[in-house]
Amino acid sequence: MNSQIDNSRRFYENQVAMLIHQQFPEYENRIAVGLAGEGSDCFGYDDFISRDHDFGTGVCLWVTDEDMELFGEHLNAAYNDLIDRQPGNNLTVRLRERRGVMTIHDFYSRTLGIYCDTDNVTISEDDWRNMDHSCLATAVNGEVFRDDLGSFTAFRNLLLNYYPDRIWRIRIVNELHKYSAALQVNYARCMSRGDVVAARLCHMHGLEAAMQLFFLMKRQYPPYYKWTYRRLEELDMDGLYARWIRELSETKGDITVWEGKEYSPKYLNLSDPVVLNAERIAERIVTMLKEHGLIDETDPYLEKYVDEIINRD
């Protein structure tokens, strides 16, 4: 089955490009067109299941703030008229908001949850800290079909160049702390108390942090959470880390191996398969940190590296 990106590209080449050329010839080289943003279709992950909501062929048309004032309303009306004439293309209100004419500034600002300076193509350190990191992949997914002006692509490339070094390190240590607190400390504490519900929450928080750390090591943005593992499998060339993540997700804690055990921060109860799998993943994370020159040691207890990674030159 063709992805919706392919369908949208054909729609642009066969119909939208002609509309722009015929009705807006003087602005043709100022309109960026592509498919990006929210939705599995923009990641190329759409399938038959995806068609139960917010599904249909369309494109995004990105213009500057000035051009939106100049001709944006007319372009939007012409594009919507074209969409309405497509057989069977009954787009939802939500999907119409994701497609059609929008400013470059509004697209990035809405997606990332910050005010994006798309004119100067810059992001301050505070904005890097405050943005919705879970939406970075959404801001750079899909495909740009045309961008003669280059303004949309310039900001896209700024994001694709990845985090500034200090922000990258901050993101890493935050996830190291989450993983260590959840699976190397609190999971054991909860199981020692017999609190399997809290232990399961630790299990899931640690699983999420392990995946986030993998993407940080690969210098890639993870997509929306339901697609995170799929993308991780695509990036994991030898498949080992992805297999361990899957095994950790499928593993159940064994409350029986904690009976009669008093909690000790120095004791690893490797009889519990969750602990065993968590330590195996932690060892691999340490290896990746060393490969990036962020640490020198091999101790799998991840919390100990937080200060070192932040302060290392």
Side-chain angles (χ1 to χ4, degrees):
M1 184 182 71
N2 291 330
S3 74
Q4 199 64 5
I5 293 176
D6 296 329
N7 294 334
S8 294
R9 187 190 305 109
R10 283 192 294 271
F11 176 56
Y12 163 67
E13 293 171 348
N14 296 333
Q15 299 191 55
V16 179
M18 184 181 300
L19 178 149
I20 294 172
H21 181 68
Q22 292 178 343
Q23 298 189 34
F24 303 89
E26 67 272 39
Y27 305 123
E28 189 171 7
N29 63 353
R30 300 190 61 82
I31 303 167
V33 186
L35 184 69
E38 295 183 38
S40 57
D41 51 345
C42 297
F43 287 101
Y45 292 160
D46 50 298
D47 53 23
F48 288 112
I49 296 176
S50 305
R51 298 185 178 187
D52 68 341
H53 70 290
D54 299 331
F55 184 84
T57 299
V59 296
C60 303
L61 299 98
W62 299 290
V63 297
T64 65
D65 289 351
E66 294 77 14
D67 285 345
M68 178 63 84
E69 291 288 331
L70 186 61
F71 63 87
E73 184 177 342
H74 298 296
L75 177 61
N76 193 52
Y79 172 80
N80 285 333
D81 179 64
L82 178 65
I83 286 291
D84 290 339
R85 287 187 278 110
Q86 301 304 304
N89 206 18
N90 186 23
L91 305 187
T92 63
V93 172
R94 186 177 182 186
L95 188 57
R96 284 181 182 271
E97 290 175 349
R98 294 177 176 177
R99 307 288 180 263
V101 182
M102 63 194 81
T103 67
I104 299 167
H105 168 266
D106 285 350
F107 171 81
Y108 286 115
S109 297
R110 183 177 67 248
T111 303
L112 298 177
I114 60 171
Y115 180 91
C116 291
D117 187 353
T118 53
D119 289 335
N120 295 307
V121 195
T122 59
I123 301 176
S124 70
E125 183 168 313
D126 283 343
D127 281 340
W128 274 114
R129 289 173 182 264
N130 295 330
M131 71 171 56
D132 187 347
H133 298 278
S134 66
C135 291
L136 276 161
T138 302
V140 297
N141 63 11
E143 188 176 323
V144 179
F145 307 144
R146 179 173 181 176
D147 184 12
D148 295 11
L149 195 62
S151 296
F152 182 83
T153 303
F155 203 82
R156 180 180 174 92
N157 287 339
L158 173 67
L159 297 175
L160 286 170
N161 285 335
Y162 209 59
Y163 293 115
D165 183 70
R166 178 158 180 80
I167 300 299
W168 179 57
R169 291 173 186 245
I170 290 172
R171 295 279 294 116
I172 290 170
V173 300
N174 285 344
E175 298 301 331
L176 288 175
H177 172 71
K178 289 178 186 177
Y179 185 90
S180 186
L183 279 177
Q184 295 185 305
V185 177
N186 288 329
Y187 176 82
R189 294 168 69 92
C190 293
M191 290 297 277
S192 295
R193 296 188 181 107
D195 189 345
V196 294
V197 175
R200 184 63 172 169
L201 288 173
C202 293
H203 186 172
M204 292 298 100
H205 282 304
L207 179 69
E208 182 183 24
M211 290 193 286
Q212 291 290 329
L213 284 163
F214 179 86
F215 281 94
L216 285 161
M217 294 296 99
K218 295 294 183 181
R219 302 183 71 84
Q220 295 278 334
Y221 302 125
Y224 184 58
Y225 70 88
K226 71 176 179 179
W227 302 116
T228 300
Y229 181 71
R230 175 170 175 169
R231 181 59 178 152
L232 189 151
E233 281 189 302
E234 294 172 349
L235 293 173
D236 187 19
M237 301 308 295
D238 64 13
L240 187 60
Y241 197 90
R243 192 180 80 216
W244 288 351
I245 288 293
R246 187 178 185 90
E247 289 176 2
L248 179 60
S249 73
E250 295 173 346
T251 298
K252 294 182 179 179
D254 186 352
I255 193 65
T256 64
V257 302
W258 296 91
E259 294 174 358
K261 297 273 194 317
E262 291 187 9
Y263 172 76
S264 170
K266 298 180 180 180
Y267 171 68
L268 285 176
N269 190 351
L270 298 177
S271 297
D272 187 320
V274 170
V275 176
L276 183 64
N277 287 341
E279 289 304 304
R280 181 171 59 179
I281 290 172
E283 290 173 1
R284 178 57 188 149
I285 291 169
V286 166
T287 299
M288 291 190 288
L289 291 170
K290 287 191 69 177
E291 290 171 350
H292 280 282
L294 294 169
I295 62 173
D296 297 317
E297 299 182 46
T298 58
D299 187 338
Y301 181 55
L302 301 184
E303 181 69 26
K304 71 177 296 181
Y305 300 116
V306 168
D307 290 339
E308 179 182 353
I309 290 172
I310 283 294
N311 297 323
R312 175 168 287 210
D313 295 329

